[in-house]
């Protein structure tokens, strides 16, 4: 079939469709990202008066999402990426409804388990995009998807807090189940993606998939990146309160959001610079993360904390964009559902390891321990990243 015939037979998949997928992920993530910070308010009404299980339940969806993501990815490659993406959105809606109407700690825990197993919208969305796009178009779409995740992480807790006087956070789960349902309706109008290129259209060099060594390095870097950045999340507010006595909740929230706001404002610009040299961006990103987290250990004033949060934001942006470019390179010539499902496994594993390490380190050494541990991990990763890659490992297109 000629390129002209292929262009006619395929449904158009351009910027509008990519933005629709990113928007659907954003709205579907509201309950998943906005309500867990309010577990300490939800659990006393379910029988856990001291909210002792809040920390454990915080990571329950992450653990089960990590376990289920590779399976859902392989099923997407077999039965259709759009179909499995719709399944993920509907699965979130069901789990949110169950969580919102749960009347016991056991039922609430079951709902969170189902959220992890039935959800997985991020990996499903990336697999869907990976089947329709490749090269710089795919890496740009992955960068936009990460921006969608950052935006939900920043704005969802604010919206949940604003709704709390009228609707308890526990019942907001049921109300916010409408969002993944709306996302599923929008996604139903999108095309089932065809492969990004037919073999006859590809140049010989571009048709070969990146070697497995590059894929293994991507998984290792993803784990280290998520561990290094997420480890500072759970106890940052405690650290701010320790360094800035009397700081308002709004100020603490702004300091928490600064790195993510940095990504939202600069990611697409950084992508234009890094899409041909992801290795340099990843190495510099980990270096800035290490410096930023180390700075958290000594920053004792508001200007110093703002500076180290922005430094961490610069590292987060460089690393995340570099990893998106590397992921797009590794997806070439592979079934995208399985690859992005496996990538999600390592991402979630890094988040779980970070949460456990942060809890143990903070309990033993204080709220500064998690950021120092994360900084050490980032510094070690910089050294590993700068090592010469395997002779066949391709870091860019």
């Amino acid at each position: 079939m000629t390129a002209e015939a292929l262009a006619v037979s395929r449904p158009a998949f351009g910027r509008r469709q990519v933005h629709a997928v990113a928007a659907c992920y954003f709205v579907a993530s509201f309950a998943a990202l906005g309500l867990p910070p309010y577990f300490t308010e939800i659990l006393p009404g379910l029988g856990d008066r001291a909210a002792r299980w809040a920390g454990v339940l915080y990571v329950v969806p992450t653990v089960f999402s990590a376990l289920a993501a590779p399976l859902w990815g392989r099923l997407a490659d077999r039965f259709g990426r759009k179909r499995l993406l719709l399944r993920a959105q509907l699965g979130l809606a069901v789990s949110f409804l169950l969580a919102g109407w749960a009347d016991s700690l056991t039922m609430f825990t079951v709902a969170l388990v189902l959220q992890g197993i039935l959800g997985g919208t991020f990996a499903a969305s990336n697999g869907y995009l990976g089947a329709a796009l490749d090269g710089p178009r795919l890496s740009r779409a992955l960068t936009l998807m990460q921006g969608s995740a950052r935006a939900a992480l920043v704005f969802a807790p604010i919206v949940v807090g604003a709704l709390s006087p009228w609707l308890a956070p526990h019942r907001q789960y049921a109300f916010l189940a409408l969002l993944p349902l709306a996302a599923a309706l929008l996604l139903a109008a999108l095309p089932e993606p065809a492969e990004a290129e037919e073999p006859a259209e590809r140049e010989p060099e571009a048709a070969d998939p990146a070697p497995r060594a590059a894929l293994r390095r991507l998984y290792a870097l993803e784990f280290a990146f998520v561990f290094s950045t997420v480890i500072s999340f759970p106890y940052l507010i405690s650290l701010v309160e320790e360094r800035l006595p009397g700081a308002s909740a709004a100020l603490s929230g702004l300091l928490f959001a600064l790195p993510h706001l940095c990504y939202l404002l600069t990611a697409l610009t950084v992508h234009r610079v890094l899409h041909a040299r992801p290795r340099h961006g990843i190495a510099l990103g980990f270096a800035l993360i290490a410096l930023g987290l180390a700075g958290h250990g000594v920053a004792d004033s508001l200007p110093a904390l703002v500076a180290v949060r922005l430094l961490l934001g610069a590292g987060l942006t460089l690393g995340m964009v570099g990893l998106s470019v590397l992921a797009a390179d590794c997806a070439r010539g592979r079934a995208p559902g399985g690859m992005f499902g496996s990538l999600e496994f390592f991402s979630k594993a890094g988040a779980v390891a970070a949460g456990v390490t942060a809890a143990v380190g903070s309990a033993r050494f204080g709220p500064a321990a998690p950021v120092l541990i994360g900084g050490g991990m980032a510094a070690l990763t910089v050294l590993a990243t700068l090592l010469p890659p395997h002779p066949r490992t391709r870091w860019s297109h």
Side-chain angles (χ1 to χ4, degrees), residues 67-169:
L67 296 175
L71 173 62
W72 289 127
R74 289 193 293 271
L75 290 176
D77 291 327
R78 182 174 180 181
F79 295 108
R81 286 90 182 195
K82 177 182 173 180
R83 188 175 301 171
L84 269 290
L85 178 53
L86 288 172
R87 177 217 56 79
Q89 296 285 4
L90 294 174
L92 273 187
V94 170
S95 64
F96 291 164
L97 282 172
L98 290 176
W101 294 111
D103 57 2
S104 67
L105 184 62
T106 300
M107 285 302 300
F108 189 70
T109 303
V110 170
L112 293 180
V113 171
L114 290 176
Q115 178 186 323
I117 295 174
L118 299 179
T121 52
F122 191 71
S125 299
N126 287 346
Y128 177 82
L129 293 171
L133 307 170
D134 70 346
R137 292 180 67 208
L138 176 56
S139 62
R140 181 182 172 87
L142 297 179
T143 299
L144 186 64
M145 284 295 298
Q146 287 288 359
S148 181
R150 300 304 108 189
L153 187 62
V154 170
F155 294 113
I158 298 173
V159 173
V160 170
L163 290 175
S164 294
W166 295 278
L167 187 63

